[in-house]
Amino acid sequence: MENFTFAKSTKEEIDEIENELVEFNNSKVPFTQKESFISMSRTMKDEKGNIVAGLSAVLYCWNCLYIDMLVVKKEFRGKGHGAQLLKEVEKQAKEQGCYLIHLDTFDFQAKDFYIKQGYEIFGVLEDCPKEHKRYFLKKLI
């Protein structure tokens, strides 16, 4: 057996590994968009330019959108800003050819919010973190 070493990855090494995976994936299921990943991240700001809410998301190679996070600042929660921001990103993604959105959230976060927005649970990870659940949701648009 060969000797190998392990080291913390650099940004360049992560990019190289990601490119290898992207190439493999494209060889198995051809991409439906030219770019592998398109940022769909958006911020919502008030009239003074202060951030009210933000959403981090990426439209990836098969016209699917993954939402990494959606956060509304504490003082603005419960006023519909999260729903507005989510609808804006869904609209932008659909214009880019997106048909499926998926995300995950914890039981102490926004599961009920996403269900109210038309998302459905397709999986649950128990005890992640301990004594809590992580929900995986999707929506066809």
Side-chain angles (χ1 to χ4, degrees), residues 9-40:
S9 301
T10 65
K11 169 74 170 109
E12 293 76 20
E13 290 167 336
I14 294 291
D15 289 346
E16 181 179 334
I17 292 165
E18 184 179 283
N19 288 338
E20 187 74 25
L21 180 59
V22 166
E23 185 179 310
F24 173 80
N25 289 348
N26 192 30
S27 75
K28 299 298 180 186
V29 181
F31 297 164
T32 53
Q33 64 188 45
K34 291 180 183 179
E35 295 180 57
S36 301
F37 303 100
I38 300 170
S39 174
M40 299 299 292

Side-chain angles (χ1 to χ4, degrees), residues 46-62:
D46 66 15
E47 63 280 348
K48 295 178 183 174
N50 298 313
I51 295 175
V52 171
L55 189 152
S56 175
V58 64
L59 184 66
Y60 61 95
C61 41
W62 299 295

Side-chain angles (χ1 to χ4, degrees), residues 8-139:
K8 186 174 180 176
S9 301
T10 65
K11 169 74 170 109
E12 293 76 20
E13 290 167 336
I14 294 291
D15 289 346
E16 181 179 334
I17 292 165
E18 184 179 283
N19 288 338
E20 187 74 25
L21 180 59
V22 166
E23 185 179 310
F24 173 80
N25 289 348
N26 192 30
S27 75
K28 299 298 180 186
V29 181
F31 297 164
T32 53
Q33 64 188 45
K34 291 180 183 179
E35 295 180 57
S36 301
F37 303 100
I38 300 170
S39 174
M40 299 299 292
S41 300
R42 299 288 188 270
T43 53
M44 174 185 273
K45 298 178 182 180
D46 66 15
E47 63 280 348
K48 295 178 183 174
N50 298 313
I51 295 175
V52 171
L55 189 152
S56 175
V58 64
L59 184 66
Y60 61 95
C61 41
W62 299 295
N63 291 337
C64 299
L65 183 73
Y66 173 67
I67 297 175
D68 183 43
M69 68 177 154
L70 187 163
V71 178
V72 177
K73 286 200 170 183
K74 191 175 185 176
E75 62 269 26
F76 295 101
R77 292 180 189 157
K79 299 176 182 177
H81 301 308
Q84 284 181 298
L85 181 57
L86 185 60
K87 283 184 185 8
E88 173 64 21
V89 171
E90 289 175 351
K91 178 181 159 247
Q92 296 294 324
K94 190 169 186 171
E95 288 174 4
Q96 293 283 328
C98 178
Y99 71 96
L100 171 71
I101 302 172
H102 63 100
L103 57 94
D104 61 88
T105 189
F106 296 100
D107 57 3
F108 52 87
Q109 290 181 327
K111 173 181 65 80
D112 294 336
F113 164 79
Y114 287 113
I115 290 170
K116 188 176 177 181
Q117 305 308 314
Y119 288 75
E120 64 182 79
I121 297 169
F122 69 86
V124 180
L125 184 58
E126 303 282 340
D127 280 328
C128 178
K130 286 280 190 193
E131 300 180 14
H132 290 278
K133 296 178 182 178
R134 187 174 194 170
Y135 292 90
F136 296 84
L137 297 98
K138 68 176 182 174
K139 181 177 182 179

